Amino acid sequence: MKKTNKLFLIIAFVFAGYSCDITDLDQLNSPNAVTAENADLDLYWNAIQVGFSGWWSSNQTPMSQVARIECMTWGSTYENAYTPSSFNYTWNYAYSGLVPDIDAMISLATEKESWIHVAAGKTLKGYILQMMVDKHGDVPYTEAWKGTENPQPNFDGQASVYDVALSLYDEALADLGKTAIGAPGVDIYYGSNAAKWTTLLNTLKFRMALNKGDGAGISAALAGGVIDAMSEDWKFQYGTNRSNPDSRHPWYGGAYEAFSGPYLSNYFMWEMHEEKGIIDPRVRYLYKRQDLDASNEDLFTLDCVVTGTEPLWYRDPYVNAYGVTTSWPFCLGSNMVEADAFNAKGYWGRDHGNDDGTPPDGQKRTARGVYPGAGMYDDGNAATGVFGSGYGHTQRGGTTGGGGDGHMPMLMSSHVYFMRAEAAQDGLSSENARDMLEAGLRRSIEETMSYSAGWGTVGDLNGDGVGGIPEERSINNYVNYVLNAYDAAADSEAKLNIIVKEFRLASMGNGVEPYNAMRRTGHPTEMQSSMKAASAGTFPRLFPYPSDVTNLNANAPVRTDLGEKVFWDRAGVLN
Amino acid sequence: MFRFLLVSFLFLASNVWAQDRTITGSISSDEDGSGLPGVNVILKGTTVGTTTDVNGYFSLGVPSDGGTLVFSFIGLSSQEIEIGARSVVDVVMSSEVEELQEVVVTALGITKEKAALGYAVTSVGGSQLEARPEADIARLLRGKVPGVDITSQSGVSGTGTNIIIRGYTSISGSNQPLFVLDGVPIDASTYSDRGFTQGGATASSRFLDLDPNNVAEVSVLKGLAATVLYGEAGRNGVILITTKTGQIGGPASNKKLEVSFSQSYFVNQVASLPNDQDNYGNGWQNNAAAAFSNWGAPFNQPNRNGLTDGTIKHPYDRAIWNGVFPQYVGARWNYQAYDNLQNFFVDGSQKNTSLGVSARIGNNSSIKANYGWTKDDGYIPFNEYTKHNFSLGANTQLANGIRVTASFNYIESQAIKPPVAPSRNSNSTQVSLFGNVMYTPRSWNLFGMEYERPDTKGSTYYRGNNGMQHPLWTLHNASDRDDVNRFIGNVGISYEIADFLNLSYRLGLDRTNMLNNYMINKNGVQGHAVLGRFETSNRNNMNYDQTVNLNGAVELSSDLDFDFLVGANLKSRNYELSQITSSEMFIFDFFDHSNFSVTTANSYYLRENTYGVFANMGLAFREFAFLNVSARNDWTSTLEKENRSVLYPSTSLSVLPLKALDISNENLNFLKVRFGFGTSAGYPSPYSTRGSLATSTNVFKTAGGTTLNSNSVSSFFANANIKPEIHKELEFGIEGKFLKNRVGIDITAYSKDSEDLIIDLELDKSSGYSSSTVNSASINNQGIEAIVSVIPVQSRDFTWEIAAQFSTLKSEVISIADGISKVYVGGYTGRGNIAIPGMPYGIMEGAVIARDYGTLDGLDHLQVNSDDRTNYTPIVDANGGYTYLGTGLIGDPQPDFVYGVTNTMSYKWVSLRVQFDHQVGGDMFSTTISTMTGRGILGNTGFDRFVPVVTSGVKLDGTVHTKQTTANQHYWPNTGVFYDENSVYDASVMRLREVSLSLVAPKSFLNGTPFGNASLTVSAQNIWHLAYNTPKDSRFDPEVSSYGVGSNVRGFDSMTGPTAKKYGATLSLTF
């Protein structure tokens, strides 16, 4: 009996006196993460500035598609292509990613009086709020960001959210005027330059006033000084690091690793390549053909090589923005009805609303070029069939072209010139619309050509089999063609039509500004319609609310009519 | 012994009859053929009799006119045999079917008389698990226990198995049962380094480590009334496994020394392959081309449709390959049907060796040891699972009333599996072996086409852009390997304080070390194979479990017995994970992290402790009414202090009416009515209640070369107020035995309410957060389980026994959270299982097509049931293609009911066992079927494709669609390749789960040999199945789960591997 008592004493000891690791019930703080007290100002800013570019890019994609800069391939009608679930990411990341980080940064930076942090945070927050309104209309603001305290916030009126954004811009301007200013260690946008941030804020105010048709606001903003130099361009500059982290332009990884990028817009390529009869000086920068001759394809890869398969409505001639009667391109960036396949010279993308499956054409369809994703400059010679750089396709494991250190063109001086041209043409400012149009055209070409270093030397730009970067005369030919058409245009609306059309052509990589311009002006009036359906349905004047929001928030409105307009939309019919 | 003396006494005291002749014979047991000593042999109607000797022989004088001999022995069925003219009467005696004294193992290893239990417990004996062609004990339980749903990832060796008992109760948490090995809870989790979309679906469940050949018995505790003493851990049911080495007593315990040996060899094959059509090859619109699809040229028109003399251009005669494969410049390829699937799968094999020793040392100690070796080569090359199980058990009874027991298991295993990721209808985005195999076009010969470039060893295949990975390249260049070292042991000490009171303590330890290597060579074309990938992880999981019990029993009066148990339990879990992920391989086929340009690493640490105290009290009234009351209180480390404690009571009652009313009738042998109520709880995963800062390193490297790090506000809203979730269950049952115990039934009905369920609630991000953990949802599960056993024939040499089991389950999500219409349970968003109030748990959601629903909303399940969709006419576009409507319900994976019938026929020393299972109802989303149909491979697409078809449907304007399209144009978009709704099939399936034929050598045969027992068992698993509502040519087996196991996903097949069938033989010997 004595023995057993001892035994159980030992057991009791083992049970109770074990190291507290296995007995302690206080295991509530995760050993795998740190707490919010450890947060650092610059580390917040890094999360914001890097996250913002990807978010911005996702926002511009559907806008580029409805502006026919990119190709709508997700569906044959707008309703099919732009389903509520396709807007989850941009909404969710804005509300639960960017803004909470911005708010946390502003609060910490205000405490530390680091005013460029504060101003940059307010600038981006204002832009985000404006983007949400421009894209979806009414959005939550007053009741947002309250966690489970208010998990289903009510929505605020769109104009009132615009006012909030404007006041954020004004506060940011005031913050930038403060002395003893602290700044982020790395500011990819403006290198912590307060003057450039100030110019951006003035431009954002100009942009907002233009949306609202507010002439006084436009004049005030212009007086403050808007982005007019390339050094002031608001863009996100990517690097060349391939992995951990992949810091390259997302378009580069999409087309220059092992996969093919998206189908590019045939209509846009045709506009640049054929519509004017003059080749756009930018076309070799924007597009890299992987196949110089699309005429030798079969039904499987390119079903339109059989003539007569185009939709009937493609055959109707129409008068284009420049006053020329023409008809729509089909199947390639060339008009298969008017000319033979050879003229397509490999500008091989997809038509608006072509949602077919994917044949094995990843190494044949046209890829994104050197601008703005820093891929390859197209120096192929269609006459000889020789790819100048020796590469027949782009899928070379990320080893070719510019290596991906391109940029996201969020708000470029060229865009601003076109907006100023539009404002002047619309009577909202006293500037000269024609001058602004010319400045926008030349700036856009200059900016695109700034990516030529090292690559743009042998391209066959004039279609004469001789390569070379665009010569001054080619650029002048192009600018003069547009300005002559502008001068010849019958009325202000026709002139505005040319301005917005050229605005579009200068906006590769930025669908936000052309989409807004379309909703302000109703131009361009001629746009290719869906290939699969005579009508692509109601043009999305606002995009649907994301499915996550309508599923999770009983107070969220449901958008059943894509024709609902944002409060400042004053355009007529859009298709 | 008492009987023996009594009978002997009677015998001696009886009158001496005229003994005209002497009858001799032997009495043997039907279980092992051994002679039975002490059996009473009496001449009916007289007092003449004898008993058998120690070897089971008897000799008895009887009158010349014979008579009838009555053989009886306690616990065995009495037999009456006419002597007739015989002089030798040999009798085989079998156990009485009526086993009133049957004891079963219940919670905490307490053995109870089955009659006293107020809840259902199903036991499966070791004989039904050993010598079977399956290394996974859970898969062996399929169809043997009603109410237990067992699915597996695929038939690939070493993949995971999912066990769900009485339905899913938790939305965000695990629904896997607790495994208890020799009294100690063990870790049965499924660890995966990557999500199923990344190829993590093959992860195996850690009960795979157990050796089925060393199992003495499995008891399944299904209801909460049965599992309450395990507390929270037992909420999903408990599987109690007693190993042969951990078993105290047992068949060989009275033998001085016994050595047992068994050796098995099984063939492992793919269970079924689809029938493919032989008329058309690769291409599109009846033209030969290097497409994904098989809508190409007919084989019987060799000079048309893109063919020249029945050939096409060799796929490697391409400008970019000409330097690499100069031999194919200008070469042609014979465009004909090749057998690819048939040759891709090979005959694998499974070998098991098991060696056991059991010895009694002195009178009070025994020791047992077992070694098991399993090598399971899968149905594809390089797939193998190897396992070594070492087990040791010992117990000793000391003179001072102390009893010491110990049981140790050491397991070492290695599984090498191909990576699989769900594949819908074309290239999987991640490396996945089966995706590109299943729909290999008929006109390409996988084995006649180099899979790698001679220069870079990169993948080559027929596709023009080389964007598709050759399946053989994947097979040779990618693998996923698990190495497990595991120790499970326990030591118990018990002390008999008084003859009615016992104190015991047990320490259990379960330590698992698991290494995973995910290796993908570079120069492939799919996902990680482009740059090469090497991911390694090292897991250490340590579970301690300590229990102290005081139990006793006293007789309160002659009518009332009382037993009780009080105890305490401490459970601790320590889990550590470190992972290294490398990409951008440098030297080909060299897997060392230093051979990769980019390496990232991370680690994770988890600690969880639970205290429990419990009490159990039983009252037995005159052996016909039994009341049991239990309660347990737990304190967990995963919740804030104020919510930490939870009490779960349970009670159960068992009444034997026949005994109570003293009814005795040979056709009404036994009746029991039982009732149970139990509760349990569930805790959130650790660290759910406190927030943290999200930090990341290396988020961006600027053009200037500066590397940026970041921190962010966590998008997870930590909820400090989470409480345990609560489960309550009512159970009612009837058991009976009739017609001389030839017919038995056991029926259970239950209803389980799960409330305050902890869900990871996705929030509207406008709240600033993406999710939070809340106590919100509630679910009800109701079901019926039945076991029916019938013995149509029972004679001396021949017995035929039918055992059938049936179960049905209906679940309903009662509520989620206010304003929330659904939560995701598993799978993809928009193609997975969800919970919606008013609908069964885990109903399937996916893309549905527009149909002429009139005024009804086709996406609202309250207006259109997913089963009724086909009653509405599809709306088709101008080309006859279905059109997209939105995301809606597409099916319910839960079967209507399942049943299984096992026939066992024994004739002398031969017995045949046939287990047939049938699942009725339940839906399955299968891309295997839809892709093979949509891509024109399946046999039923071999029709004349030049005949135009008209898709039946209405146009957008409501008029009937009449435009003709090609077969290609109809099948491609309309058979499920485009829309999930069209990929859903009824998964009803009939199956021959198991067939086995055992030959047990009779004792007489072994006389003079060193063998005590010898048997040969020929058995087969899953040799036939028929999913009769799926397309016939698909020959599909729905018993797969492509999104992996251990999650709460069910009903999705995305080409991650078919099931397997195995057949072979086992030789067992004892010395």
Side-chain angles (χ1 to χ4, degrees), chain B residues 102-114 117 119 121-123 180 183 217-221 226 230 240-242 247:
Chain B
E102 188 186 352
V103 291
V104 289
V105 183
T106 67
L108 300 175
I110 302 163
T111 52
K112 291 219 165 186
E113 270 184 42
K114 202 177 177 197
L117 293 181
Y119 45 79
V121 174
T122 307
S123 297
V180 175
E217 187 178 36
V218 174
S219 278
V220 182
L221 310 184
Y230 287 103
L240 295 171
I241 297 170
T242 309
Q247 190 180 33

Side-chain angles (χ1 to χ4, degrees), chain A residues 454-495:
Chain A
W455 312 295
T457 51
V458 289
D460 174 18
L461 198 79
N462 304 326
D464 59 1
V466 181
I469 56 171
E471 293 167 20
E472 195 60 33
R473 67 181 168 89
S474 312
I475 298 167
N476 288 336
N477 276 349
Y478 183 87
V479 173
N480 290 337
Y481 180 94
V482 176
L483 292 178
N484 289 340
Y486 176 85
D487 294 338
D491 55 18
S492 187
E493 282 301 311
K495 289 180 196 292

Side-chain angles (χ1 to χ4, degrees), chain B residues 193 513-516 536-540 576-579:
Chain B
D193 278 357
N513 172 250
M514 182 174 162
L515 294 168
N516 180 269
T536 56
S537 71
N538 187 354
R539 281 184 175 77
N540 274 303
E576 273 180 272
L577 164 68
S578 60
Q579 283 176 298

Side-chain angles (χ1 to χ4, degrees), chain B residues 235-397:
Chain B
R235 71 181 183 281
N236 300 320
V238 179
I239 295 184
L240 295 171
I241 297 170
T242 309
T243 63
K244 288 174 184 167
T245 44
Q247 190 180 33
I248 299 167
S253 60
N254 55 350
K255 289 183 184 164
K256 196 117 182 109
L257 176 71
E258 184 178 271
V259 179
S260 60
F261 170 79
S262 77
Q263 175 66 47
S264 308
Y265 183 87
F266 301 106
V267 177
N268 184 356
Q269 290 175 333
V270 63
S272 61
L273 285 173
N275 291 325
D276 35 24
Q277 55 80 21
D278 294 322
N279 304 332
Y280 298 86
N282 183 212
W284 194 251
Q285 297 287 26
N286 296 333
N287 274 292
F292 276 117
S293 291
N294 201 68
W295 292 105
F299 293 128
N300 61 6
Q301 298 181 28
N303 283 303
R304 300 178 64 179
N305 312 306
L307 300 180
T308 307
D309 291 334
T311 67
I312 53 167
K313 193 171 152 180
H314 193 284
Y316 294 169
D317 178 19
R318 304 203 287 261
I320 54 166
W321 288 147
N322 285 349
V324 181
F325 292 111
Q327 68 270 39
Y328 294 124
V329 176
R332 303 291 295 174
W333 177 271
N334 286 329
Y335 191 85
Q336 64 185 66
Y338 296 92
D339 280 344
N340 288 308
L341 289 183
Q342 293 76 358
N343 295 324
F344 192 83
F345 294 93
V346 298
D347 284 355
S349 67
Q350 184 184 328
K351 286 156 268 186
N352 297 324
T353 305
S354 187
L355 183 66
V357 180
S358 156
R360 198 181 60 193
I361 304 161
N363 286 324
N364 299 316
S365 303
S366 69
I367 186 162
K368 295 173 188 178
N370 199 82
Y371 166 70
W373 174 74
T374 299
K375 184 150 190 325
D376 185 2
D377 293 319
Y379 57 50
I380 43 164
F382 311 123
N383 169 220
E384 60 175 56
Y385 176 65
T386 316
K387 177 164 69 172
H388 299 270
N389 287 78
F390 301 87
S391 310
L392 183 69
N395 69 82
T396 184
Q397 176 81 50

Side-chain angles (χ1 to χ4, degrees), chain B residues 321-608:
Chain B
W321 288 147
N322 285 349
V324 181
F325 292 111
Q327 68 270 39
Y328 294 124
V329 176
R332 303 291 295 174
W333 177 271
N334 286 329
Y335 191 85
Q336 64 185 66
Y338 296 92
D339 280 344
N340 288 308
L341 289 183
Q342 293 76 358
N343 295 324
F344 192 83
F345 294 93
V346 298
D347 284 355
S349 67
Q350 184 184 328
K351 286 156 268 186
N352 297 324
T353 305
S354 187
L355 183 66
V357 180
S358 156
R360 198 181 60 193
I361 304 161
N363 286 324
N364 299 316
S365 303
S366 69
I367 186 162
K368 295 173 188 178
N370 199 82
Y371 166 70
W373 174 74
T374 299
K375 184 150 190 325
D376 185 2
D377 293 319
Y379 57 50
I380 43 164
F382 311 123
N383 169 220
E384 60 175 56
Y385 176 65
T386 316
K387 177 164 69 172
H388 299 270
N389 287 78
F390 301 87
S391 310
L392 183 69
N395 69 82
T396 184
Q397 176 81 50
L398 304 179
N400 56 9
I402 291 181
R403 185 181 187 93
V404 180
T405 60
S407 158
F408 302 105
N409 299 276
Y410 177 74
I411 302 109
E412 192 171 287
S413 74
Q414 184 176 69
I416 300 173
K417 296 171 277 195
V420 299
S423 203
R424 188 149 175 245
N425 49 49
S426 67
N427 264 338
S428 163
T429 50
Q430 281 308 332
V431 179
S432 190
L433 180 63
F434 298 107
N436 291 346
V437 172
M438 298 310 285
Y439 61 84
T440 305
R442 300 291 286 126
S443 51
W444 299 115
N445 180 3
L446 273 184
F447 304 91
M449 201 188 295
E450 283 84 346
Y451 63 81
E452 62 180 15
R453 297 170 54 141
D455 50 353
T456 63
K457 305 287 182 198
S459 170
T460 63
Y461 207 21
Y462 72 87
R463 287 271 294 182
N465 61 355
N466 205 38
M468 190 175 179
Q469 197 156 293
H470 197 304
L472 293 178
W473 191 93
T474 310
L475 187 65
H476 285 87
N477 290 284
S479 84
D480 190 356
R481 195 181 87 202
D482 294 333
D483 288 271
V484 175
N485 291 293
R486 185 167 187 180
F487 174 82
I488 305 171
N490 75 76
V491 177
I493 301 173
S494 67
Y495 175 60
E496 200 174 288
I497 298 169
D499 60 1
F500 63 92
L501 199 60
N502 197 63
L503 181 65
S504 65
Y505 166 79
R506 176 146 56 192
L507 168 67
L509 185 72
D510 175 11
R511 187 192 169 90
T512 307
N513 172 250
M514 182 174 162
L515 294 168
N516 180 269
N517 285 277
Y518 183 72
M519 299 178 284
I520 315 271
N521 265 320
K522 68 172 177 180
N523 297 335
V525 297
Q526 198 177 42
H528 293 321
V530 175
L531 298 177
R533 188 89 165 177
F534 186 33
E535 297 181 11
T536 56
S537 71
N538 187 354
R539 281 184 175 77
N540 274 303
N541 187 68
M542 175 79 114
N543 282 16
Y544 288 102
D545 187 272
Q546 302 181 69
T547 308
V548 177
N549 276 335
L550 179 70
N551 63 308
V554 283
E555 193 178 301
L556 296 178
S557 75
S558 61
D559 286 341
L560 204 57
D561 290 306
F562 174 72
D563 67 82
F564 69 94
L565 176 143
V566 291
N569 172 241
L570 168 62
K571 266 192 316 183
S572 318
R573 178 169 182 233
N574 248 306
Y575 172 77
E576 273 180 272
L577 164 68
S578 60
Q579 283 176 298
I580 305 175
T581 302
S582 293
S583 62
E584 296 190 27
M585 178 182 251
F586 177 50
I587 305 286
F588 184 82
D589 203 22
F590 177 45
F591 288 94
D592 183 302
H593 287 289
S594 64
N595 185 43
F596 288 77
S597 314
V598 180
T599 292
T600 56
N602 66 286
S603 56
Y604 180 77
Y605 187 67
L606 177 151
R607 190 177 279 160
E608 184 176 353

Side-chain angles (χ1 to χ4, degrees), chain A residues 204-224:
Chain A
L204 291 176
K205 288 178 72 178
F206 161 72
R207 179 175 173 265
M208 184 179 262
L210 179 61
N211 276 359
K212 293 196 288 189
D214 167 11
I218 288 170
S219 302
L222 287 173

Side-chain angles (χ1 to χ4, degrees), chain B residues 886-900:
Chain B
T887 302
L889 298 188
I890 55 173
D892 180 2
Q894 183 66 41
D896 298 336
F897 59 91
V898 293
Y899 68 87

